[in-house]
Amino acid sequence: MPERRFFREECYIAGEWLGGGSVIDVNNPATGESIGTVPNLGRAETQRAIDAAHAVFPEWRERSADERGDLCRKIFEALMDNQAALGELLTVEMGKPLAEAKGEVAYAASFFKWFGEEARRVYGDIVPSSWADKRIVVTKQPVGVVGSITPWNFPTAMIARKAAAALAAGCPIICKPALQTPYSALAYGVIADDIGLPKGVLSVITGPAPEIADEFCENPKVRKITFTGSTPVGKTLSSNALRYMKRVSMELGGNAPFIVFDDADLDRAVDGAVACKYRNSGQTCVSANRILVQAGIYDAFAEKFAAKVKSMKVGNGLEDGVEQGPLIDEAAVAKVEAHITDATSKGAEILTGGKRHELGGTFFEPTVLRDVASTMRVSCDETFGPVAPLFKFETEEEAIRMANDTEYGLASYFYTRDLGRAWRVMEALEYGIIGVNEGIISTPVAPFGGVKDSGQGREGSKYGLEDYLDIKYALVGGLR
Ligand code: SIN
């Protein structure tokens, strides 16, 4: 069991640890064993967190940007000082390999560092006035109390992307993590306590998502809702939030194309595809869901790629050298199996993997399929697992058409050495994020988010801070 100090089986609400009542079991996906329980809280406790956040808001927003930035910096330092313990906690509840988990803690920390610095740069404008005796002043102010709902696939980093921006902007935040991975979220409560964050500025509550989300939507003290998760849930949440005129940020599903042109650097493309597809066992919304390879390089790519994937070590993420942990649960395995069965029944060939791993439980073999077609489920449905389907295309136009043939628009990738093609394809892809000769695009300094059914708003970067700020225009008259 990871360091006890960060392992809390109570919720952190209004600066107090709260337990009691009914509980929810949390299991280690690698062993199937119980790790512990967390409170099953509902609307009453959510209200308590909201009331505390609302009460502390005037004081929090009045703090100078320097003070808020310094506190964000302290969270960054606390995360980095405890990277090993927090990484272990993350692996135990989520399953990803320890090296990836520690990498996620550092990734999460980097948002607090970035937004802590960015807090000092919330500039307004003086707009040239239409009148000689009046001035037009534009300032930016924190939106207010934020309700956040985050998924299990990046339990530490997804909270960081939201909480760091909220805190830097001057907004208190209530975090509702996924029930599969609550402990990494509750660890933020320990850190908040340690660094002396004012009570109510950050709360962490565990319980049923619909109940807590309804309170976020209906409670007039909450001004913004931020969500990372599936598109259907995001749409329901957005429409509920809109009924109460709440601001929303939605980071939803994807169906990322990963295009390899004939002129690509083959080894670079293979390495990029492995990193992009198998990061977090493919349980990533920016994971390559469709690998489109041009005919002239298709066989060579398939051979090299499958050989690399075949050599990946699967196992408990706490063991040395493991590159792929278990999938989060049985439903995830069932979806992966269904996609493979559908594809093979329609003519796809398995190059490696294709079935549950001999370790049992929710371990699955890293899989590569070739001769995949647009009639197969893998082409339109996000697999969210370790399956790489290889599609073939002939021309640049065909690749662009195939890539854009989806209701999603989060991340996309392509590999080419032709500068003209790089610009043409970059401009033609209908996606919020594009990796050009790169398979990993995540960084706190760039705007992360999608178009179409992949959501709205951006996280990270200066744009990510704007999502937590309202614009105020003041006309100052009577000057002459
Ligand atoms: C996600 O899968 O939602 C986030 C991945 C990332 O930040 O890189």
Side-chain angles (χ1 to χ4, degrees), residues 23-68:
V23 292
I24 299 159
D25 283 314
V26 184
N27 293 326
N28 179 338
T31 60
E33 286 163 9
S34 168
I35 308 168
T37 62
V38 288
N40 186 18
L41 303 183
R43 287 187 86 132
E45 296 82 6
T46 311
Q47 273 166 24
R48 191 159 151 189
I50 295 169
D51 286 345
H54 191 253
V56 78
F57 178 45
E59 184 211 320
W60 184 241
R61 66 187 288 181
E62 288 309 318
R63 296 244 180 158
S64 70
D66 268 3
E67 279 181 87
R68 289 198 309 272

Side-chain angles (χ1 to χ4, degrees), residues 419-465:
L419 186 61
R421 167 173 279 161
W423 279 98
R424 285 194 302 277
V425 177
M426 212 159 46
E427 286 168 6
L429 287 174
E430 296 163 359
Y431 288 84
I433 304 169
I434 302 183
V436 186
N437 297 321
E438 293 292 341
I440 299 288
I441 42 65
S442 304
T443 161
V445 308
F448 188 105
V451 298
K452 295 160 79 178
D453 270 7
S454 290
Q456 51 181 281
R458 292 294 179 271
E459 294 189 318
S461 81
K462 63 176 183 176
Y463 306 101
L465 198 57

Side-chain angles (χ1 to χ4, degrees), residues 107 111 151 153-154 157-158 161 228 251 279 283-286 384 441-442 448:
Y107 179 44
F111 285 96
N153 61 341
F154 288 88
M158 294 304 98
R161 275 210 307 224
T228 295
E251 207 266 90
R279 173 177 176 232
Q283 301 172 116
T284 305
C285 57
V286 290
F384 227 65
I441 42 65
S442 304
F448 188 105

